[in-house]
């Protein structure tokens, strides 16, 4: 199936609108939580969401990537239907298995991840099992829509669920309902349920085969290949979500829900929304990189995406540092002022994360299962080690934030070297000078004392340097020959 440039351009705009709309609505949901339940509520909300995400990743073999990659490399509808039959059966079976485990092990999960055995929280975790089941269905539907490049329905499904979530949480805060953990789990059920329904509707509108054709599942050899790749993607993605779950559980156990809520506010404004943005980019980038066969085509695809992500990331991160106090007050409340310490440091890790995602997607596109597993597991083991050290030795928000910077920098070094090794046309000088120029002012502000970090002159100069680095990256984007 050939995609016209005009359709692809409009698809990029629609997909971007969908993911930014979804990100904005999730941001509003955190604002509603901050207004309704304060830092403790935000901490609980974030941990429940991470638990649901981890379970969904496990049930869908790593999220959407396996299905998107499998559909993108198949050109005719007949083989796509065979692939979908196999993938749907596996996802359905694993989804029900994960949900049963959550329901049965709810007391243990509550004690481990929420450092509590309160009956209300145990019941909340059991309700999260239903939210996970709906999220599994929604995730699979989004993956199919992405693989078919059905961007309007993809964007609609991405927005619909968070919109319902915001309305429910906003209503709870407006009517001053008593804080109730089970209402939070009900909010997730509503959110993921709406996404699942809209996604299923979009899938039903995809092209259909002739009725006379009856297709079964994939041949055994192809099924085994899919399962191997999906399992590798599962281990890689699950290592990330489980690592974040463990980090949050350690923070809650050591410092309480309020401290976790303050950290989550800074983490959400940086890492969480960066991940959502990169997920949106993946809807365009992963299929295109998978389809690019010639080394020069892959180089052009990677560099154009890297420069675009880096340029946008530098602009946004410098602006967030410049406006951190009014931003936190606007999106959360004055109770979250300490989250500025988290934001100041995590913006550096976010820039590293964005570029490493661009280069690391090459591992997915080439289905290098061994490297995918080893690199992601190593990254998350380093993250766990650094955060455990930061909590035990310092116990401050800023130290915990720096624990995210080092692993992401080391992973960036690895994926850049991997890309250069796989494609001799890729060069280190294509990206490192831009990264150095874009992050140096942020390092200076984060490592300086408060008197310098809050100085208008210093932050102004930082913004000027950031604008220059972002402009240089975007200019390099224009110069890449497709």
């Amino acid at each position: 199936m050939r995609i016209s440039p005009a359709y692809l351009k409009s698809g990029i705009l629609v997909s971007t609108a969908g993911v930014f709309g979804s990100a904005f609505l999730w941001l509003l949901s955190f604002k509603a939580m901050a207004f309704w339940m304060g830092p403790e509520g935000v901490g609980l909300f974030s941990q429940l969401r991470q638990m649901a995400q981890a379970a969904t990743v496990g049930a869908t073999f790593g999220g959407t990537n396996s299905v998107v990659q499998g559909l993108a490399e198949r050109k005719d509808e007949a083989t796509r239907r065979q692939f979908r039959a196999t993938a749907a059966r596996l996802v359905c079976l694993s989804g029900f298995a994960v949900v049963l485990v959550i329901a049965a092990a709810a007391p243990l999960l509550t004690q481990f991840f929420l450092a509590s055995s309160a009956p209300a929280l145990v019941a909340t975790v059991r309700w999260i099992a239903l939210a996970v089941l709906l999220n599994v269905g929604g995730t699979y539907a989004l993956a199919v829509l992405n693989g078919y490049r059905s961007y309007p329905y993809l964007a609609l499904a991405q927005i619909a669920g968070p919109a319902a979530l915001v309305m429910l949480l906003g209503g709870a805060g407006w009517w001053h309902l008593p804080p109730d953990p089970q209402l939070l789990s009900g909010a997730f059920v509503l959110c993921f349920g709406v996404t699942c329904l809209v996604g299923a509707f979009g899938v039903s509108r995809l092209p259909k085969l002739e009725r006379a054709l009856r297709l079964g599942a994939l041949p055994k050899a192809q099924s085994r290949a899919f399962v191997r790749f999906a399992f590798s993607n599962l281990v890689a993605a699950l290592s990330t979500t489980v690592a974040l779950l463990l980090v949050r559980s350690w923070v809650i156990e050591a410092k309480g829900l309020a401290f976790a809520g303050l950290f989550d506010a800074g983490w959400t404004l940086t890492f969480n929304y960066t991940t959502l943005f990169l997920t949106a980019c993946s809807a365009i980038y992963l299929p295109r990189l998978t389809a690019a066969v010639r080394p020069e085509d892959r180089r052009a695809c990677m560099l154009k995406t890297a420069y675009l992500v880096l340029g946008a990331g530098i602009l946004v991160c410098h602006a967030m540092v410049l406006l951190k106090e009014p931003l936190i007050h606007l999106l959360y409340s004055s109770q979250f002022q300490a989250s500025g310490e988290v934001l100041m440091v995590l913006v550096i890790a976010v820039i590293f994360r964005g570029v490493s995602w661009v280069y690391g997607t090459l591992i997915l596109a080439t289905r290098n299962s061994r490297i995918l597993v080893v690199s992601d597991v190593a990254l998350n083991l380093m993250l766990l080690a650094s955060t455990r050290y930061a909590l035990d030795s310092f116990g401050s928000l800023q130290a915990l934030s720096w624990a995210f910077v080092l692993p992401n920098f080391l992973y960036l070094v690895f994926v850049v070297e991997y890309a250069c090794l796989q494609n001799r046309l890729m060069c280190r000088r294509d990206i490192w000078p831009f990264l150095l120029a874009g992050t140096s002012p942020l390092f200076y502000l984060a490592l300086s004392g408060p008197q310098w970090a809050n100085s208008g002159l210093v932050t102004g100069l930082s913004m000027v340097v950031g604008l220059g680095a972002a402009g240089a990256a975007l200019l390099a984007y224009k110069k890449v020959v497709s």
Side-chain angles (χ1 to χ4, degrees):
M1 181 176 66
R2 184 175 178 82
I3 304 296
S4 68
Y7 179 82
L8 185 61
K9 184 176 181 179
S10 66
I12 293 173
L13 294 176
V14 172
S15 178
T16 302
V19 83
F20 274 107
S22 174
F24 177 70
L25 290 168
W26 275 106
L27 188 62
L28 288 182
S29 72
F30 277 92
K31 172 66 176 179
M33 280 301 307
F35 174 73
W36 180 32
M37 296 177 65
E40 289 191 6
V42 171
L44 178 61
F45 183 73
S46 297
Q47 185 68 332
L48 290 174
R49 184 186 178 196
Q50 192 65 38
M51 291 171 69
Q53 182 63 25
T56 302
V57 166
T60 56
F61 296 92
T64 62
N65 286 335
S66 299
V67 175
V68 172
Q69 201 274 346
L71 290 172
E73 69 179 3
R74 289 168 170 81
K75 305 304 180 185
D76 63 281
E77 185 60 20
T79 56
R80 284 183 165 189
R81 284 303 180 100
Q82 288 182 319
F83 175 81
R84 283 171 57 184
T86 298
R89 185 174 66 251
L90 291 172
V91 168
C92 184
L93 291 174
S94 61
F96 278 107
V98 169
V99 166
L100 290 175
V101 169
I102 294 174
L108 293 176
L109 294 174
T110 305
Q111 181 62 47
F112 187 79
F113 292 119
L114 299 176
S116 174
S117 56
L121 289 178
V122 174
T124 298
V125 172
R126 286 205 171 98
W127 275 107
I128 285 293
L130 176 58
V132 167
L133 184 62
L134 295 169
N135 199 22
V136 168
T139 300
Y140 175 75
L142 292 176
V144 172
L145 293 172
N146 190 352
Y148 277 85
R149 301 186 182 185
S150 181
Y151 298 121
Y153 287 113
L154 177 64
L156 183 61
Q158 288 172 322
I159 291 174
L165 176 69
V166 169
M167 286 189 285
L168 178 59
L169 294 179
W174 179 262
W175 293 105
H176 302 289
L177 297 181
D180 185 358
Q182 293 184 61
L183 183 56
L184 293 186
S185 58
F188 285 116
V189 170
L190 176 65
C191 173
F192 298 142
V194 171
T195 298
C196 183
L197 288 175
V198 176
F201 175 75
V203 171
S204 72
R205 307 296 293 177
L206 293 174
K208 293 179 173 57
L209 283 173
E210 296 291 337
R211 290 187 178 181
L213 292 176
R214 293 185 177 180
L215 298 174
L218 287 174
K220 289 185 178 180
Q222 294 186 36
S223 296
R224 286 194 295 268
F226 168 70
V227 170
R228 283 197 300 270
F229 177 67
F231 181 75
S232 301
N233 193 49
L234 165 64
V235 174
L238 197 58
S239 68
T240 299
T241 54
V242 170
L244 292 174
L245 262 177
L246 287 174
V247 168
R248 283 191 170 96
S249 64
W250 290 344
V251 173
I252 292 171
E253 182 181 13
K255 298 291 184 177
L257 279 171
F259 186 93
L262 293 173
F263 178 78
D264 271 316
W267 189 89
T268 299
L269 289 174
T270 52
F271 258 89
N272 190 55
Y273 291 105
T274 297
T275 302
L276 288 174
F277 170 68
L278 296 179
T279 301
C281 293
S282 182
I284 306 295
Y285 179 51
L286 178 57
R288 292 191 68 186
L289 189 61
T290 300
V293 177
R294 298 188 306 164
E296 53 268 30
D297 292 338
R298 279 193 170 163
R299 177 183 183 273
C301 184
M302 291 178 66
L303 287 184
K304 286 181 77 72
T305 307
Y307 292 143
L308 190 61
V309 168
L310 181 59
I314 292 173
L315 284 176
V316 170
C317 288
H318 280 76
M320 289 175 67
V321 169
L322 184 66
L323 303 171
K324 65 180 185 301
E325 291 185 4
L327 187 67
I328 290 171
H329 289 173
L330 174 66
L331 299 178
Y332 288 89
S333 70
S334 57
Q335 294 177 283
F336 291 81
Q337 186 172 354
S339 300
E341 300 176 27
V342 179
L343 188 148
M344 287 283 293
V345 177
L346 286 187
V347 288
I348 302 169
V350 157
I351 293 177
F352 292 155
R353 161 71 176 158
V355 177
S356 66
W357 169 82
V358 175
Y359 280 77
T361 302
L362 179 63
I363 303 173
L364 279 173
T366 55
R367 298 178 65 172
N368 195 331
S369 302
R370 183 178 300 177
I371 295 296
L372 177 65
V373 170
V374 171
S375 60
D376 275 68
V377 170
L379 165 66
N380 289 295
L381 287 176
M382 286 189 292
L383 176 62
L384 289 174
S386 60
T387 52
R388 185 76 261 182
Y389 175 76
L391 282 172
D392 291 343
S393 301
F394 302 98
S396 67
L397 288 170
Q398 194 172 42
L400 184 60
S401 305
W402 280 112
F404 281 74
V405 175
L406 178 61
N408 279 279
F409 173 75
L410 294 176
Y411 183 72
L412 173 62
V413 173
F414 168 76
V415 292
V416 169
E417 293 300 316
Y418 176 83
C420 293
L421 184 64
Q422 293 294 310
N423 189 343
R424 296 299 181 183
L425 298 178
M426 299 292 293
C427 300
R428 300 174 186 86
R429 64 176 178 273
D430 289 333
I431 197 65
W432 282 113
F434 299 98
L435 275 167
L436 181 63
T439 56
S440 293
L442 298 176
F443 269 107
Y444 180 78
L445 289 175
L447 293 171
S448 301
Q451 70 277 12
W452 288 103
N454 294 323
S455 168
L457 176 62
V458 173
T459 53
L461 289 174
S462 168
M463 195 64 186
V464 169
V465 175
L467 285 172
L474 296 176
L475 184 62
Y477 164 81
K478 293 282 188 181
K479 290 182 177 180
V480 176
V481 179
S482 300

